[in-house]
Amino acid sequence: MTSQFDTLSATYEDFTATRFRTCLEIPSVRRALGDLGGAAVLDLGCGPGVYTRWVRRHGAARATGLDVSGGMIGHARAQEAADPVGVDYVLGALPDHLVGTFDLVLGVYVLPYATTHAELRQLCDTAAHALGPGGRFVTLLIHPGFRPGAVSYAPYGFRLTAREPLGDGSPVTLNLCFQSHDETVTARFWTRATLEGTLRAAGFTCPRWTDPTVSEEGVAEHGEPYWRDYLTHPHMVITDCVKAGSST
Ligand SMILES: C[S@@+](CC[C@H](N)C(=O)[O-])C[C@H]1O[C@@H](n2cnc3c(N)ncnc32)[C@H](O)[C@@H]1O
């Protein structure tokens, strides 16, 4: 099956070097995840494996990346072959032998690529099946308060356009425009009520919602005014929930 992401592995890999990722996104994910010591982590929608490698380097005992894009998984496996950190990758669905074996599922910008409510539910089900008792699902979503045109995200390396009013499944066009990159993908907006309802139906507790923040280094290096527009109107939010019925 082809995917809009098959040719974008280098774009997402290179995006990792942008200020947005190094000073805001990665530190925000780090704060949300907390101590990874000894954890088994599934990186759902791993793309080129940036976060799969990152969690392994930051204490995870085991890290597996899962993605439906052959281009992304091919790139991730090539990275691991060139510079092994001890991660592995799965193309397609979660294999039976990995069901219930993870402590944490991380999903960075994957739920926004569900094109239907059924796909959104399937992604949440995959996260729930992957987790053992007490397992957490931490995921980055398009912010429910996102309003196209509220600010320009171009200084942060991307542009977002969408037709208002936004509702469940509304297309959101993401143009990655940084360094020499100029590539476009289509994401979907999902309302907070639908996201919470779908996570609960898949067996999770009601998620905690956390807005991103900038690292101290990010403020020192680039100045508070540079970040102001983004922090006033963040396009993403982090949710954190636990498999219901599990000990926390
Ligand atoms: C925006 S990219 C993010 C990649 C990576 N998480 C990152 O932040 O660098 C979204 C990824 O989700 C993957 N994806 C979309 N739907 C998926 C699904 N149902 N199961 C697994 N991966 C999926 C895409 O192939 C793509 O690689």
Side-chain angles (χ1 to χ4, degrees):
M1 197 174 78
T2 58
S3 146
Q4 63 174 336
F5 290 101
D6 280 341
T7 57
L8 296 183
S9 55
T11 307
Y12 277 89
E13 185 80 50
D14 293 349
F15 193 57
T16 306
T18 62
R19 295 172 187 179
F20 177 78
R21 264 208 154 161
T22 58
C23 300
L24 186 149
E25 184 193 295
I26 294 173
S28 298
V29 170
R30 180 179 210 147
R31 263 188 295 278
L33 295 183
D35 181 14
L36 286 171
V41 181
L42 178 69
D43 184 9
L44 179 61
C46 64
V50 168
Y51 277 101
T52 325
R53 297 194 298 275
W54 187 89
V55 295
R56 181 80 173 106
R57 287 190 172 118
H58 287 81
R62 180 163 64 89
T64 299
L66 172 70
D67 205 288
V68 291
S69 161
M72 286 293 195
I73 290 292
H75 177 103
R77 286 180 175 149
Q79 289 284 317
E80 175 63 7
D83 180 17
V85 294
V87 298
D88 59 9
Y89 294 100
V90 174
L91 174 63
L94 184 73
D96 287 348
H97 73 275
L98 290 179
V99 169
T101 68
F102 294 96
D103 306 302
L104 172 71
V105 175
L106 173 64
V108 179
Y109 309 129
V110 60
L111 299 194
Y113 292 95
T115 57
T116 62
H117 186 258
E119 271 183 48
L120 186 68
R121 174 65 194 270
Q122 188 189 36
L123 276 162
C124 296
D125 283 345
T126 298
H129 291 151
L131 289 168
R136 286 170 72 199
F137 183 26
V138 174
T139 189
L140 271 65
L141 305 168
I142 296 179
H143 201 294
F146 165 68
R147 289 293 165 267
V151 290
S152 168
Y153 296 103
Y156 312 107
F158 57 96
R159 295 189 181 89
L160 287 168
T161 48
R163 193 174 290 174
E164 293 200 85
L166 289 170
D168 281 321
S170 293
V172 177
T173 303
L174 167 65
N175 174 226
L176 290 155
C177 49
F178 63 96
Q179 301 165 3
S180 59
H181 289 287
D182 181 7
E183 283 98 21
T184 296
V185 291
T186 303
R188 302 280 167 165
F189 180 85
W190 298 99
T191 61
R192 181 171 173 145
T194 293
L195 288 161
E196 290 188 344
T198 310
L199 285 164
R200 292 205 343 219
F204 289 102
T205 56
C206 193
R208 191 164 40 130
W209 297 75
T210 309
D211 282 350
T213 53
V214 179
S215 65
E216 284 177 17
E217 295 79 8
V219 176
E221 278 171 37
H222 307 295
E224 188 272 336
Y226 171 76
W227 298 107
R228 197 175 297 145
D229 274 357
Y230 187 85
L231 294 176
T232 310
H233 296 281
H235 90 295
M236 69 89 161
V237 67
I238 300 179
T239 59
D240 187 351
C241 53
V242 175
K243 214 170 152 172
S246 310
S247 58
T248 51

